[in-house]
Amino acid sequence: MVNVAILGYGVVGSGVYKVINENNSHVSRRAGDTVRVKYVLDLREFPGDPAEDVLVHDFDVILNDEEVDVIVETMGGVEPAHTFEVKALKAGKSVCTSNKEVVAKWGFELLQLAKENNCNFFFEASVGGGIPVIRPLINSITADHIKSISGILNGTTNYILTKMADEGIAFEEVLKDAQNKGYAERNPEADIEGYDACRKIAILASLAYEKQVDYEDIYTEGITKITAIDFWYAGQLDASIKLLGLAKRQNGVVYAMVAPFIVKANNPLFGVNDVFNAILLDGDMLGEVMFYGKGAGSLPTASAVVSDVIEAAKNKGKNIPILWRPEKRELGSVDVFETSYLVRVSGLKAVERLREIFGDAESEIRYERNKEEIFKREIKHAFGAVEFIEGQHGGEVAFVTGPMSGADFEKAAEDFVIENRIRIAEV
Amino acid sequence: MVNVAILGYGVVGSGVYKVINENNSHVSRRAGDTVRVKYVLDLREFPGDPAEDVLVHDFDVILNDEEVDVIVETMGGVEPAHTFEVKALKAGKSVCTSNKEVVAKWGFELLQLAKENNCNFFFEASVGGGIPVIRPLINSITADHIKSISGILNGTTNYILTKMADEGIAFEEVLKDAQNKGYAERNPEADIEGYDACRKIAILASLAYEKQVDYEDIYTEGITKITAIDFWYAGQLDASIKLLGLAKRQNGVVYAMVAPFIVKANNPLFGVNDVFNAILLDGDMLGEVMFYGKGAGSLPTASAVVSDVIEAAKNKGKNIPILWRPEKRELGSVDVFETSYLVRVSGLKAVERLREIFGDAESEIRYERNKEEIFKREIKHAFGAVEFIEGQHGGEVAFVTGPMSGADFEKAAEDFVIENRIRIAEV
């Protein structure tokens, strides 16, 4: 018998209860032993719910029950989730969690505790919901140096961006629609500002590059500045715009960031739409592989948690080593990171400079008359070799730069009124 | 020290040698011990090749060396590969192979031998080349009943079909081009007739449904009958045509087949082009997940083999149980399997019947004049509710049927001159 306690009977926790019970003979056969939910911990009552009989309100009941082998932590938030996980592991109980905040912040510490106590800390569901990606990184893509990981890691923002792309609707309007449909939270900041994706790429980067990547170090840019005009230009490039979590080794340095990226049609991430997630890995031997599926939702996420429970059951009393050392990984700065950009320019900043160029009297008239030509000349001068995009929106000039460092970009952009600039994903 | 012997120094075997040597510190760290290639077995000589120093021509040298822990079998073909694997496992040496013929035919037997001898039989590279799919099926997607697996499992045919779709070129011409480019063999039968995909779906179905699926039992149809006209009609349906390996549970029965399928744009497999492979799994809790990447090639395939070597090294002396029982899985018949079809009809078979309908004298003239109308009436009568496709090619009528069993389809089709019929993939 493998006894499981579920901490938190919310969306994911109730899904875990359902998967273990509805697929019990299957789950037990895969685990090599009968799996049952002995406890559900929640502050609330659930009268009439099947979990009512196993509901407890005191974590210590679970902690002190020696029969409990596996703790499923699906409470979310940092505390008391983290403290409960620590106590469970110290008591030799394996922990399986979907809690990305705790994994990103305390992953290496919890892995270490699991090792010391001959149990396991598993977190497949913390990234990509139901998509198997953590275990493949640990057990499958092991022969390769990972050149890069880029992922659509947040379903809410991908839904919003897909709607904007398909229907040409403004960000605020789509957000409202997503909130009404329950795809976005009332307080959507964690999603739309990229904080959620940031924790997830921190976890993936820590595993791929074997050292602790602190999510606080990760440059994070959300999708709130993306407009319908950006999508129009992206369309001209046969591309779309996706919020990517990116981790990449470039000239021996590891970079990590979350930002909107131009994703071209030949990139496998291009076709990943709506609430779907996908993670694209590039290995030095393997080339590109992609994992695609539902990144959220009660049952898909629970499916991943229960696969962890099964692994914990199969490896009772034996720690599975996971390479994620406590040493901190110093990330390269976005100022140094090289990428191409799509840039939209609507004006020249320095009117003074403008007057220098043209003398003074007729300069403004001439400027208006020859705006596009002047822009283009100045852009070439500042950004070097660029590719201008055909077609125009409201007197803007849009162009694609070659690969340049963040610092060089900022310097080149100084003299221009930049409407927006979006990084371009490499394939 | 983990000592590896590679049997067969061809495309994949030489890749394995390269991955273990070029990524040695990485591979060894992941394995938890230094990994080295102690032997390469091949009948040929390789003067000047780095493997020359470890080259042997006699398998017994490897078998009798107690230092050898892991055998990599990358010879291909059934014999002597199968015999060598049996001998290795009986000697307690783990076997890692890319050989789909051997895995499909002898998988359960070799897994049993590995179990009896406390070693492992791994075969990640036998399906999908470098794409991790075998281990995810064993270790990750374990909480779900698998509703279906559908995969683009053969890069050569996917390249041919992609070319046909993009350029409207006939099959024979694209095949020639693929042969010239080295994407297709001089004798392309195993690819274009679906035999390669058949072995791969047999392996996936055996793992997903836990009993031996004999590949000889799998209905297999190649791509040789697909024409540019089929692609034209597929385009009208916003779809493409892909050779799929399919395993599916329908009304409690497992079906498996290889055949060209109409794949609509909302199916994640739609965007899988050129030599890429992808495997789409549908779990009862998880929903759909897809694994995508390079299904062939020296280094991608070798990457998967070496990940197996790493797992074998990590689990020295300990068998990892894999559910694939020797009991034979009786597959449902294609006559019973329900699917929709795209059908192209160019005529009515029974001229006699035609005369019955119209009397006799003017019938042929009236037939020619009203062909489309007559077809449509007869098609509705025979196939029930169908959806006709707008636009026409050469006097044909094309339509999409509702889901119907293979036997019902054959019966309905009896009276018609069928130009082609292609199954339609469900999403």
Side-chain angles (χ1 to χ4, degrees), chain A residues 348 354 357-358 366-381 388 392 395-397 416:
Chain A
L348 287 171
L354 180 72
I357 297 166
F358 296 101
R366 287 174 62 190
Y367 172 61
E368 282 308 320
R369 200 188 296 141
N370 302 299
K371 217 159 109 176
E372 193 180 334
E373 191 189 311
I374 296 164
F375 281 2
K376 287 189 172 176
R377 193 180 55 206
E378 293 300 304
I379 285 164
K380 273 185 197 158
H381 179 72
F388 291 100
Q392 259 193 287
E396 291 181 6
V397 167
F416 299 90

PDB file of all heavy atoms in Angstrom, chain A residues 348 354 357-358 366-381 388 392 395-397 416:
ATOM      1  N   LEU A 348      12.165  61.163 -34.962  1.00  0.00           N
ATOM      2  CA  LEU A 348      13.519  61.409 -34.480  1.00  0.00           C
ATOM      3  C   LEU A 348      13.409  62.234 -33.207  1.00  0.00           C
ATOM      4  O   LEU A 348      12.689  63.234 -33.174  1.00  0.00           O
ATOM      5  CB  LEU A 348      14.322  62.169 -35.516  1.00  0.00           C
ATOM      6  CG  LEU A 348      14.754  61.378 -36.746  1.00  0.00           C
ATOM      7  CD1 LEU A 348      15.346  62.325 -37.794  1.00  0.00           C
ATOM      8  CD2 LEU A 348      15.785  60.325 -36.353  1.00  0.00           C
ATOM      9  N   LEU A 354      17.834  67.469 -35.702  1.00  0.00           N
ATOM     10  CA  LEU A 354      17.147  67.627 -36.965  1.00  0.00           C
ATOM     11  C   LEU A 354      17.518  68.961 -37.617  1.00  0.00           C
ATOM     12  O   LEU A 354      17.827  69.033 -38.802  1.00  0.00           O
ATOM     13  CB  LEU A 354      15.638  67.569 -36.695  1.00  0.00           C
ATOM     14  CG  LEU A 354      14.702  67.710 -37.879  1.00  0.00           C
ATOM     15  CD1 LEU A 354      14.729  66.458 -38.740  1.00  0.00           C
ATOM     16  CD2 LEU A 354      13.291  67.965 -37.378  1.00  0.00           C
ATOM     17  N   ILE A 357      20.823  68.992 -39.113  1.00  0.00           N
ATOM     18  CA  ILE A 357      20.905  68.271 -40.383  1.00  0.00           C
ATOM     19  C   ILE A 357      20.463  69.151 -41.548  1.00  0.00           C
ATOM     20  O   ILE A 357      21.087  69.184 -42.592  1.00  0.00           O
ATOM     21  CB  ILE A 357      20.044  66.986 -40.339  1.00  0.00           C
ATOM     22  CG1 ILE A 357      20.584  66.030 -39.264  1.00  0.00           C
ATOM     23  CG2 ILE A 357      20.018  66.279 -41.695  1.00  0.00           C
ATOM     24  CD1 ILE A 357      19.653  64.908 -38.896  1.00  0.00           C
ATOM     25  N   PHE A 358      19.352  69.875 -41.323  1.00  0.00           N
ATOM     26  CA  PHE A 358      18.744  70.607 -42.438  1.00  0.00           C
ATOM     27  C   PHE A 358      19.020  72.106 -42.445  1.00  0.00           C
ATOM     28  O   PHE A 358      18.424  72.818 -43.240  1.00  0.00           O
ATOM     29  CB  PHE A 358      17.231  70.404 -42.400  1.00  0.00           C
ATOM     30  CG  PHE A 358      16.833  68.991 -42.605  1.00  0.00           C
ATOM     31  CD1 PHE A 358      16.476  68.197 -41.533  1.00  0.00           C
ATOM     32  CD2 PHE A 358      16.853  68.431 -43.883  1.00  0.00           C
ATOM     33  CE1 PHE A 358      16.120  66.888 -41.725  1.00  0.00           C
ATOM     34  CE2 PHE A 358      16.500  67.116 -44.069  1.00  0.00           C
ATOM     35  CZ  PHE A 358      16.133  66.343 -42.993  1.00  0.00           C
ATOM     36  N   ARG A 366      10.432  70.152 -44.659  1.00  0.00           N
ATOM     37  CA  ARG A 366      11.193  69.133 -45.386  1.00  0.00           C
ATOM     38  C   ARG A 366      11.185  67.803 -44.644  1.00  0.00           C
ATOM     39  O   ARG A 366      11.112  66.740 -45.240  1.00  0.00           O
ATOM     40  CB  ARG A 366      12.622  69.607 -45.627  1.00  0.00           C
ATOM     41  CG  ARG A 366      12.701  70.685 -46.689  1.00  0.00           C
ATOM     42  CD  ARG A 366      14.108  71.246 -46.802  1.00  0.00           C
ATOM     43  NE  ARG A 366      15.081  70.244 -47.210  1.00  0.00           N
ATOM     44  CZ  ARG A 366      16.393  70.466 -47.190  1.00  0.00           C
ATOM     45  NH1 ARG A 366      16.871  71.635 -46.770  1.00  0.00           N
ATOM     46  NH2 ARG A 366      17.229  69.549 -47.577  1.00  0.00           N
ATOM     47  N   TYR A 367      11.237  67.908 -43.293  1.00  0.00           N
ATOM     48  CA  TYR A 367      11.201  66.708 -42.459  1.00  0.00           C
ATOM     49  C   TYR A 367       9.903  65.939 -42.711  1.00  0.00           C
ATOM     50  O   TYR A 367       9.918  64.734 -42.987  1.00  0.00           O
ATOM     51  CB  TYR A 367      11.318  67.107 -40.982  1.00  0.00           C
ATOM     52  CG  TYR A 367      11.102  65.986 -40.001  1.00  0.00           C
ATOM     53  CD1 TYR A 367      11.940  64.864 -39.998  1.00  0.00           C
ATOM     54  CD2 TYR A 367      10.079  66.050 -39.058  1.00  0.00           C
ATOM     55  CE1 TYR A 367      11.746  63.844 -39.090  1.00  0.00           C
ATOM     56  CE2 TYR A 367       9.874  65.043 -38.144  1.00  0.00           C
ATOM     57  CZ  TYR A 367      10.706  63.932 -38.166  1.00  0.00           C
ATOM     58  OH  TYR A 367      10.514  62.931 -37.273  1.00  0.00           O
ATOM     59  N   GLU A 368       8.779  66.669 -42.655  1.00  0.00           N
ATOM     60  CA  GLU A 368       7.495  65.994 -42.871  1.00  0.00           C
ATOM     61  C   GLU A 368       7.419  65.382 -44.260  1.00  0.00           C
ATOM     62  O   GLU A 368       6.904  64.288 -44.446  1.00  0.00           O
ATOM     63  CB  GLU A 368       6.333  66.987 -42.666  1.00  0.00           C
ATOM     64  CG  GLU A 368       5.992  67.264 -41.206  1.00  0.00           C
ATOM     65  CD  GLU A 368       5.755  65.999 -40.375  1.00  0.00           C
ATOM     66  OE1 GLU A 368       5.128  65.037 -40.897  1.00  0.00           O
ATOM     67  OE2 GLU A 368       6.211  65.954 -39.213  1.00  0.00           O
ATOM     68  N   ARG A 369       7.940  66.142 -45.251  1.00  0.00           N
ATOM     69  CA  ARG A 369       7.839  65.695 -46.633  1.00  0.00           C
ATOM     70  C   ARG A 369       8.698  64.456 -46.883  1.00  0.00           C
ATOM     71  O   ARG A 369       8.327  63.572 -47.627  1.00  0.00           O
ATOM     72  CB  ARG A 369       8.246  66.854 -47.577  1.00  0.00           C
ATOM     73  CG  ARG A 369       7.717  66.665 -49.004  1.00  0.00           C
ATOM     74  CD  ARG A 369       8.298  67.703 -49.950  1.00  0.00           C
ATOM     75  NE  ARG A 369       7.889  69.060 -49.594  1.00  0.00           N
ATOM     76  CZ  ARG A 369       8.688  70.130 -49.671  1.00  0.00           C
ATOM     77  NH1 ARG A 369       9.941  69.994 -50.095  1.00  0.00           N
ATOM     78  NH2 ARG A 369       8.263  71.321 -49.332  1.00  0.00           N
ATOM     79  N   ASN A 370       9.862  64.411 -46.232  1.00  0.00           N
ATOM     80  CA  ASN A 370      10.831  63.343 -46.511  1.00  0.00           C
ATOM     81  C   ASN A 370      11.053  62.419 -45.318  1.00  0.00           C
ATOM     82  O   ASN A 370      12.096  61.792 -45.198  1.00  0.00           O
ATOM     83  CB  ASN A 370      12.176  63.968 -46.912  1.00  0.00           C
ATOM     84  CG  ASN A 370      12.023  64.855 -48.114  1.00  0.00           C
ATOM     85  OD1 ASN A 370      11.635  64.396 -49.175  1.00  0.00           O
ATOM     86  ND2 ASN A 370      12.288  66.142 -47.925  1.00  0.00           N
ATOM     87  N   LYS A 371      10.039  62.415 -44.427  1.00  0.00           N
ATOM     88  CA  LYS A 371      10.185  61.682 -43.167  1.00  0.00           C
ATOM     89  C   LYS A 371      10.730  60.264 -43.365  1.00  0.00           C
ATOM     90  O   LYS A 371      11.735  59.886 -42.758  1.00  0.00           O
ATOM     91  CB  LYS A 371       8.819  61.612 -42.471  1.00  0.00           C
ATOM     92  CG  LYS A 371       8.911  61.739 -40.964  1.00  0.00           C
ATOM     93  CD  LYS A 371       7.578  62.178 -40.384  1.00  0.00           C
ATOM     94  CE  LYS A 371       6.930  61.068 -39.628  1.00  0.00           C
ATOM     95  NZ  LYS A 371       5.679  61.523 -38.987  1.00  0.00           N
ATOM     96  N   GLU A 372      10.050  59.528 -44.224  1.00  0.00           N
ATOM     97  CA  GLU A 372      10.415  58.124 -44.387  1.00  0.00           C
ATOM     98  C   GLU A 372      11.871  57.971 -44.828  1.00  0.00           C
ATOM     99  O   GLU A 372      12.623  57.176 -44.278  1.00  0.00           O
ATOM    100  CB  GLU A 372       9.480  57.461 -45.394  1.00  0.00           C
ATOM    101  CG  GLU A 372       9.612  55.945 -45.368  1.00  0.00           C
ATOM    102  CD  GLU A 372       8.691  55.275 -46.350  1.00  0.00           C
ATOM    103  OE1 GLU A 372       7.647  55.861 -46.698  1.00  0.00           O
ATOM    104  OE2 GLU A 372       9.015  54.155 -46.776  1.00  0.00           O
ATOM    105  N   GLU A 373      12.223  58.805 -45.789  1.00  0.00           N
ATOM    106  CA  GLU A 373      13.591  58.755 -46.322  1.00  0.00           C
ATOM    107  C   GLU A 373      14.621  59.107 -45.248  1.00  0.00           C
ATOM    108  O   GLU A 373      15.655  58.440 -45.103  1.00  0.00           O
ATOM    109  CB  GLU A 373      13.664  59.748 -47.487  1.00  0.00           C
ATOM    110  CG  GLU A 373      14.903  59.654 -48.332  1.00  0.00           C
ATOM    111  CD  GLU A 373      14.927  60.844 -49.306  1.00  0.00           C
ATOM    112  OE1 GLU A 373      13.879  61.089 -49.965  1.00  0.00           O
ATOM    113  OE2 GLU A 373      15.957  61.512 -49.363  1.00  0.00           O
ATOM    114  N   ILE A 374      14.289  60.147 -44.480  1.00  0.00           N
ATOM    115  CA  ILE A 374      15.205  60.580 -43.404  1.00  0.00           C
ATOM    116  C   ILE A 374      15.327  59.494 -42.345  1.00  0.00           C
ATOM    117  O   ILE A 374      16.428  59.135 -41.925  1.00  0.00           O
ATOM    118  CB  ILE A 374      14.689  61.894 -42.752  1.00  0.00           C
ATOM    119  CG1 ILE A 374      14.695  63.015 -43.794  1.00  0.00           C
ATOM    120  CG2 ILE A 374      15.546  62.257 -41.538  1.00  0.00           C
ATOM    121  CD1 ILE A 374      13.854  64.226 -43.389  1.00  0.00           C
ATOM    122  N   PHE A 375      14.164  58.968 -41.944  1.00  0.00           N
ATOM    123  CA  PHE A 375      14.176  57.870 -40.967  1.00  0.00           C
ATOM    124  C   PHE A 375      15.128  56.775 -41.420  1.00  0.00           C
ATOM    125  O   PHE A 375      15.996  56.322 -40.678  1.00  0.00           O
ATOM    126  CB  PHE A 375      12.787  57.228 -40.846  1.00  0.00           C
ATOM    127  CG  PHE A 375      11.820  58.001 -39.994  1.00  0.00           C
ATOM    128  CD1 PHE A 375      12.179  59.206 -39.414  1.00  0.00           C
ATOM    129  CD2 PHE A 375      10.547  57.508 -39.770  1.00  0.00           C
ATOM    130  CE1 PHE A 375      11.272  59.917 -38.640  1.00  0.00           C
ATOM    131  CE2 PHE A 375       9.645  58.204 -38.992  1.00  0.00           C
ATOM    132  CZ  PHE A 375      10.000  59.409 -38.425  1.00  0.00           C
ATOM    133  N   LYS A 376      14.902  56.369 -42.658  1.00  0.00           N
ATOM    134  CA  LYS A 376      15.653  55.223 -43.159  1.00  0.00           C
ATOM    135  C   LYS A 376      17.154  55.479 -43.141  1.00  0.00           C
ATOM    136  O   LYS A 376      17.936  54.616 -42.761  1.00  0.00           O
ATOM    137  CB  LYS A 376      15.171  54.843 -44.570  1.00  0.00           C
ATOM    138  CG  LYS A 376      13.788  54.158 -44.541  1.00  0.00           C
ATOM    139  CD  LYS A 376      13.408  53.587 -45.890  1.00  0.00           C
ATOM    140  CE  LYS A 376      12.132  52.759 -45.754  1.00  0.00           C
ATOM    141  NZ  LYS A 376      11.659  52.246 -47.055  1.00  0.00           N
ATOM    142  N   ARG A 377      17.527  56.708 -43.548  1.00  0.00           N
ATOM    143  CA  ARG A 377      18.951  57.040 -43.568  1.00  0.00           C
ATOM    144  C   ARG A 377      19.531  57.002 -42.155  1.00  0.00           C
ATOM    145  O   ARG A 377      20.568  56.416 -41.899  1.00  0.00           O
ATOM    146  CB  ARG A 377      19.145  58.420 -44.203  1.00  0.00           C
ATOM    147  CG  ARG A 377      20.586  58.728 -44.564  1.00  0.00           C
ATOM    148  CD  ARG A 377      20.692  60.113 -45.187  1.00  0.00           C
ATOM    149  NE  ARG A 377      20.106  61.112 -44.290  1.00  0.00           N
ATOM    150  CZ  ARG A 377      19.594  62.285 -44.700  1.00  0.00           C
ATOM    151  NH1 ARG A 377      19.566  62.593 -45.979  1.00  0.00           N
ATOM    152  NH2 ARG A 377      19.113  63.156 -43.822  1.00  0.00           N
ATOM    153  N   GLU A 378      18.786  57.618 -41.231  1.00  0.00           N
ATOM    154  CA  GLU A 378      19.267  57.686 -39.840  1.00  0.00           C
ATOM    155  C   GLU A 378      19.291  56.304 -39.176  1.00  0.00           C
ATOM    156  O   GLU A 378      20.176  55.988 -38.392  1.00  0.00           O
ATOM    157  CB  GLU A 378      18.381  58.648 -39.027  1.00  0.00           C
ATOM    158  CG  GLU A 378      18.501  60.091 -39.448  1.00  0.00           C
ATOM    159  CD  GLU A 378      19.932  60.615 -39.295  1.00  0.00           C
ATOM    160  OE1 GLU A 378      20.479  60.527 -38.187  1.00  0.00           O
ATOM    161  OE2 GLU A 378      20.508  61.073 -40.304  1.00  0.00           O
ATOM    162  N   ILE A 379      18.267  55.515 -39.519  1.00  0.00           N
ATOM    163  CA  ILE A 379      18.197  54.156 -38.963  1.00  0.00           C
ATOM    164  C   ILE A 379      19.396  53.340 -39.413  1.00  0.00           C
ATOM    165  O   ILE A 379      20.054  52.673 -38.614  1.00  0.00           O
ATOM    166  CB  ILE A 379      16.862  53.476 -39.377  1.00  0.00           C
ATOM    167  CG1 ILE A 379      15.702  54.068 -38.558  1.00  0.00           C
ATOM    168  CG2 ILE A 379      16.922  51.965 -39.189  1.00  0.00           C
ATOM    169  CD1 ILE A 379      14.327  53.779 -39.130  1.00  0.00           C
ATOM    170  N   LYS A 380      19.682  53.430 -40.716  1.00  0.00           N
ATOM    171  CA  LYS A 380      20.844  52.703 -41.247  1.00  0.00           C
ATOM    172  C   LYS A 380      22.119  53.151 -40.552  1.00  0.00           C
ATOM    173  O   LYS A 380      22.979  52.334 -40.207  1.00  0.00           O
ATOM    174  CB  LYS A 380      20.979  52.937 -42.755  1.00  0.00           C
ATOM    175  CG  LYS A 380      20.170  51.955 -43.580  1.00  0.00           C
ATOM    176  CD  LYS A 380      20.463  52.170 -45.073  1.00  0.00           C
ATOM    177  CE  LYS A 380      19.401  51.521 -45.922  1.00  0.00           C
ATOM    178  NZ  LYS A 380      19.344  52.128 -47.257  1.00  0.00           N
ATOM    179  N   HIS A 381      22.208  54.424 -40.370  1.00  0.00           N
ATOM    180  CA  HIS A 381      23.384  54.989 -39.716  1.00  0.00           C
ATOM    181  C   HIS A 381      23.534  54.450 -38.278  1.00  0.00           C
ATOM    182  O   HIS A 381      24.613  54.054 -37.860  1.00  0.00           O
ATOM    183  CB  HIS A 381      23.277  56.524 -39.704  1.00  0.00           C
ATOM    184  CG  HIS A 381      24.421  57.203 -39.035  1.00  0.00           C
ATOM    185  ND1 HIS A 381      25.686  57.272 -39.596  1.00  0.00           N
ATOM    186  CD2 HIS A 381      24.522  57.814 -37.821  1.00  0.00           C
ATOM    187  CE1 HIS A 381      26.494  57.900 -38.777  1.00  0.00           C
ATOM    188  NE2 HIS A 381      25.822  58.235 -37.684  1.00  0.00           N
ATOM    189  N   PHE A 388      14.217  46.811 -43.959  1.00  0.00           N
ATOM    190  CA  PHE A 388      12.960  47.541 -43.757  1.00  0.00           C
ATOM    191  C   PHE A 388      11.777  46.671 -44.155  1.00  0.00           C
ATOM    192  O   PHE A 388      11.874  45.873 -45.092  1.00  0.00           O
ATOM    193  CB  PHE A 388      12.964  48.841 -44.565  1.00  0.00           C
ATOM    194  CG  PHE A 388      13.939  49.837 -44.037  1.00  0.00           C
ATOM    195  CD1 PHE A 388      15.188  50.006 -44.631  1.00  0.00           C
ATOM    196  CD2 PHE A 388      13.640  50.590 -42.901  1.00  0.00           C
ATOM    197  CE1 PHE A 388      16.111  50.902 -44.123  1.00  0.00           C
ATOM    198  CE2 PHE A 388      14.559  51.494 -42.395  1.00  0.00           C
ATOM    199  CZ  PHE A 388      15.803  51.649 -43.001  1.00  0.00           C
ATOM    200  N   GLN A 392       3.183  50.301 -44.347  1.00  0.00           N
ATOM    201  CA  GLN A 392       3.385  51.254 -43.266  1.00  0.00           C
ATOM    202  C   GLN A 392       2.131  51.426 -42.448  1.00  0.00           C
ATOM    203  O   GLN A 392       1.019  51.238 -42.927  1.00  0.00           O
ATOM    204  CB  GLN A 392       3.749  52.607 -43.857  1.00  0.00           C
ATOM    205  CG  GLN A 392       5.216  52.918 -43.793  1.00  0.00           C
ATOM    206  CD  GLN A 392       5.419  54.374 -44.111  1.00  0.00           C
ATOM    207  OE1 GLN A 392       5.296  54.776 -45.244  1.00  0.00           O
ATOM    208  NE2 GLN A 392       5.705  55.170 -43.085  1.00  0.00           N
ATOM    209  N   GLY A 395       2.657  56.520 -40.620  1.00  0.00           N
ATOM    210  CA  GLY A 395       3.908  57.257 -40.736  1.00  0.00           C
ATOM    211  C   GLY A 395       5.080  56.613 -40.022  1.00  0.00           C
ATOM    212  O   GLY A 395       6.149  57.202 -39.897  1.00  0.00           O
ATOM    213  N   GLU A 396       4.889  55.405 -39.570  1.00  0.00           N
ATOM    214  CA  GLU A 396       6.009  54.709 -38.922  1.00  0.00           C
ATOM    215  C   GLU A 396       6.916  54.075 -39.963  1.00  0.00           C
ATOM    216  O   GLU A 396       6.512  53.841 -41.093  1.00  0.00           O
ATOM    217  CB  GLU A 396       5.489  53.571 -38.043  1.00  0.00           C
ATOM    218  CG  GLU A 396       4.751  54.021 -36.819  1.00  0.00           C
ATOM    219  CD  GLU A 396       4.300  52.822 -36.004  1.00  0.00           C
ATOM    220  OE1 GLU A 396       4.671  51.696 -36.354  1.00  0.00           O
ATOM    221  OE2 GLU A 396       3.568  53.032 -35.033  1.00  0.00           O
ATOM    222  N   VAL A 397       8.124  53.783 -39.527  1.00  0.00           N
ATOM    223  CA  VAL A 397       8.995  52.921 -40.310  1.00  0.00           C
ATOM    224  C   VAL A 397       9.352  51.747 -39.419  1.00  0.00           C
ATOM    225  O   VAL A 397       9.707  51.924 -38.257  1.00  0.00           O
ATOM    226  CB  VAL A 397      10.267  53.672 -40.755  1.00  0.00           C
ATOM    227  CG1 VAL A 397      11.306  52.696 -41.291  1.00  0.00           C
ATOM    228  CG2 VAL A 397       9.913  54.692 -41.834  1.00  0.00           C
ATOM    229  N   PHE A 416      15.870  57.962 -31.423  1.00  0.00           N
ATOM    230  CA  PHE A 416      14.599  57.733 -32.122  1.00  0.00           C
ATOM    231  C   PHE A 416      13.426  57.690 -31.152  1.00  0.00           C
ATOM    232  O   PHE A 416      13.571  57.355 -29.987  1.00  0.00           O
ATOM    233  CB  PHE A 416      14.655  56.412 -32.892  1.00  0.00           C
ATOM    234  CG  PHE A 416      15.729  56.397 -33.941  1.00  0.00           C
ATOM    235  CD1 PHE A 416      17.015  55.945 -33.633  1.00  0.00           C
ATOM    236  CD2 PHE A 416      15.468  56.854 -35.223  1.00  0.00           C
ATOM    237  CE1 PHE A 416      18.012  55.934 -34.595  1.00  0.00           C
ATOM    238  CE2 PHE A 416      16.466  56.853 -36.188  1.00  0.00           C
ATOM    239  CZ  PHE A 416      17.740  56.401 -35.874  1.00  0.00           C
TER     240      PHE A 416
END
